């Protein structure tokens, strides 16, 4: 058993030493599930417009006496160029499984919650950003040679296209032809809607700016649960900063960033009724921006994992 864990540790360190292609992330997720069959299940949430799998992993022990567990959703890679996001989200899945047997705190959180982790919401854009254009943001559907793709974080059906998004296919914030016109956003919303009573938290992981954002992105008004969301985010960012000193700011998207409608977090909170819905903007604050060096994958993973654990602990206490 011990050798087994040490091997997995080595795998983790090697895997997270560089930014990985989609097929490597998918293989890693499959491997995690093979290594920890009792607490994991590989899930297909749907397919991208170019036919790539939206491969996710569900992590949760079946030992709980409760028939239906509370669930936490974490996704990454909705914006192609934000490479630290899929890397970090995959790292979270790695630690939740790898540490289950050795860390009481992790065991407790995996026993209590079902974790649904989708590292790459936008696999077509992610691959395009590796193959052709490192600064690509959107998906790759529609358009001609130029002006392809939809900003999937403007395509969710809640106050869709009411501000901070564009109706021009050439724009980097093109909202799509209608709400949920894109297979990626439709798949996520269908998946969550079928199970929404179980979901207590939704995390959309982006980069960069070091922000722990609450809804709303469509109005400067604050959501009903704002105070509780902020209290949980404070515990999370406190734990996060204790790891490597990285400082996060907390606030609503509109108030500390900008108005942008059709975002996943607003939909998760406003339509799916998921009480703790956040967008995380990971490292850094602009020195490297989207081009965060790969040496920062593990430190970013470590601190984000600490933040997410603290968040889950706080939610568990509240609920
Ligand atoms: O603009 C976005 O989609 C996010 N920032 S990013 O630089 N990663 O593109 C922020 C989204 C915040 N949430 C909402 N506006 N709903
Ligand atoms: Zn983003």
């Amino acid at each position: 058993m011990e050798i087994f864990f040490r091997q997995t540790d080595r795998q983790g360190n090697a895997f997270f030493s560089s930014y990985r292609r989609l097929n490597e992330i998918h293989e890693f997720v499959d491997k995690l599930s093979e290594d920890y069959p009792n607490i994991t299940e590989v899930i297909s949430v749907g397919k991208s417009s170019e036919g790539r799998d939206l491969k996710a992993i569900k992590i949760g022990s079946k030992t709980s006496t409760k028939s239906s567990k509370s669930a936490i959703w974490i996704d990454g890679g909705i914006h192609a160029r934000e490479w630290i996001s899929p890397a970090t989200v995959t790292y979270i899945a790695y630690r939740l499984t790898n540490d289950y047997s050795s860390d009481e705190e992790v065991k407790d959180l995996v026993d209590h919650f079902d974790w649904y982790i989708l590292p790459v919401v936008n696999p077509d854009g992610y691959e395009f950003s590796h193959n052709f254009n490192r600064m690509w943001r959107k998906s790759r559907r529609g358009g001609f040679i130029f002006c392809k793709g939809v900003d999937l974080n403007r395509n969710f059906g809640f106050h869709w296209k009411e501000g901070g998004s564009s109706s021009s296919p050439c724009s980097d914030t093109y909202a799509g032809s209608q709400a949920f016109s894109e297979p990626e956003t439709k798949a996520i919303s269908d998946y969550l809607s079928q199970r929404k009573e179980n979901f207590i938290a939704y995390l959309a992981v982006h980069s960069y700016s070091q922000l722990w954002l609450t809804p709303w992105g469509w109005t400067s008004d604050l959501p009903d649960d704002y105070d509780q969301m902020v209290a949980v985010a404070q515990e999370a960012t406190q734990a996060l900063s204790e790891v490597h000193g990285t400082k996060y700011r907390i606030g609503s998207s509109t108030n500390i960033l900008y108005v942008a409608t059709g975002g996943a977090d607003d939909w998760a909170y406003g339509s799916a009724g998921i009480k703790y819905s956040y967008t995380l903007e990971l490292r850094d604050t602009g020195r490297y921006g989207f081009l965060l060096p790969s040496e920062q994958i593990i430190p970013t993973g470590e601190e984000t994992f600490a933040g997410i654990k603290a968040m889950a602990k706080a939610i568990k206490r509240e609920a």
Side-chain angles (χ1 to χ4, degrees):
M1 218 31 174
E2 235 193 15
I3 293 164
F4 173 75
F5 282 116
R6 269 190 269 121
Q7 273 175 350
T8 315
D9 262 342
R10 274 206 302 276
Q11 264 173 26
N13 284 327
F15 183 82
F16 295 106
S17 64
S18 62
Y19 290 107
R20 298 295 173 177
R21 299 297 292 259
L22 183 74
N23 69 313
E24 296 176 300
I25 294 173
H26 283 180
E27 278 167 23
F28 189 81
V29 163
D30 288 335
K31 186 76 175 59
L32 281 186
S33 188
E34 282 164 27
D35 286 354
Y36 306 99
N38 297 328
I39 53 166
T40 62
E41 194 184 320
V42 174
I43 284 165
S44 177
V45 175
K47 291 240 184 290
S48 70
S49 53
E50 292 180 340
R52 295 185 176 86
D53 195 16
L54 303 178
K55 193 193 276 266
I57 184 166
K58 177 183 171 187
I59 303 169
S61 48
K62 292 142 197 146
T63 55
S64 169
T65 47
K66 279 202 289 175
S67 53
S68 122
K69 291 163 76 181
S70 297
I72 295 176
W73 175 279
I74 305 175
D75 67 44
I78 198 169
H79 289 142
R81 64 194 173 193
E82 298 167 9
W83 287 5
I84 191 61
S85 161
T88 302
V89 170
T90 309
Y91 184 86
I92 304 301
Y94 162 63
R95 290 291 300 274
L96 284 173
T97 48
N98 187 70
D99 296 8
Y100 181 77
S101 298
S102 55
D103 183 336
E104 271 301 315
E105 192 189 355
V106 171
K107 182 180 184 306
D108 195 46
L109 295 174
V110 171
D111 286 343
H112 185 80
F113 293 108
D114 282 332
W115 299 74
Y116 290 79
I117 300 184
L118 170 60
V120 191
V121 172
N122 174 16
D124 303 346
Y126 186 68
E127 284 298 288
F128 189 79
S129 74
H130 277 268
N131 288 330
F132 300 107
N133 179 351
R134 178 64 185 83
M135 291 305 276
W136 194 255
R137 168 181 168 95
K138 299 187 287 181
S139 68
R140 290 293 303 160
R141 194 159 89 106
F144 302 102
I145 298 170
F146 301 105
C147 305
K148 284 172 81 76
V150 171
D151 183 347
L152 300 176
N153 210 34
R154 299 291 180 277
N155 190 242
F156 282 76
F158 185 78
H159 292 269
W160 178 76
K161 222 174 80 177
E162 288 184 16
S165 70
S166 172
S167 44
S168 161
C170 296
S171 165
D172 240 359
T173 55
Y174 176 48
S177 56
Q178 52 184 327
F180 293 126
S181 55
E182 305 310 300
E184 298 86 352
T185 55
K186 176 86 168 62
I188 291 172
S189 76
D190 285 350
Y191 196 88
L192 280 161
S193 300
Q194 284 156 18
R195 298 164 182 79
K196 69 179 166 197
E197 61 287 347
N198 293 338
F199 280 96
I200 184 77
Y202 181 100
L203 257 75
V205 179
H206 292 245
S207 73
Y208 59 90
S209 287
Q210 295 171 200
L211 306 172
W212 199 291
L213 299 168
T214 78
W216 303 109
W218 72 275
T219 171
S220 58
D221 293 351
L222 298 173
D224 287 348
D225 298 301
Y226 183 72
D227 290 348
Q228 274 169 284
M229 278 192 265
V230 166
V232 167
Q234 267 160 352
E235 292 196 40
T237 54
Q238 173 66 32
L240 188 155
S241 73
E242 277 164 15
V243 181
H244 296 293
T246 308
K247 295 270 178 283
Y248 270 58
R249 289 186 296 131
I250 300 166
S252 85
S253 289
T254 298
N255 288 310
I256 71 168
L257 198 56
Y258 41 64
V259 170
T261 58
D265 50 0
D266 277 14
W267 175 84
Y269 182 73
S271 291
I274 303 175
K275 180 170 171 186
Y276 296 94
S277 292
Y278 299 106
T279 291
L280 270 55
E281 299 281 359
L282 302 177
R283 292 190 190 190
D284 55 13
T285 54
R287 177 172 179 196
Y288 296 106
F290 301 119
L291 310 179
L292 195 72
S294 54
E295 295 72 47
Q296 295 199 37
I297 297 172
I298 290 175
T300 303
E302 289 168 339
E303 68 195 16
T304 310
F305 185 54
I308 289 175
K309 276 192 297 182
M311 175 200 78
K313 268 168 68 177
I315 292 173
K316 188 185 161 198
R317 235 179 23 235
E318 306 276 308

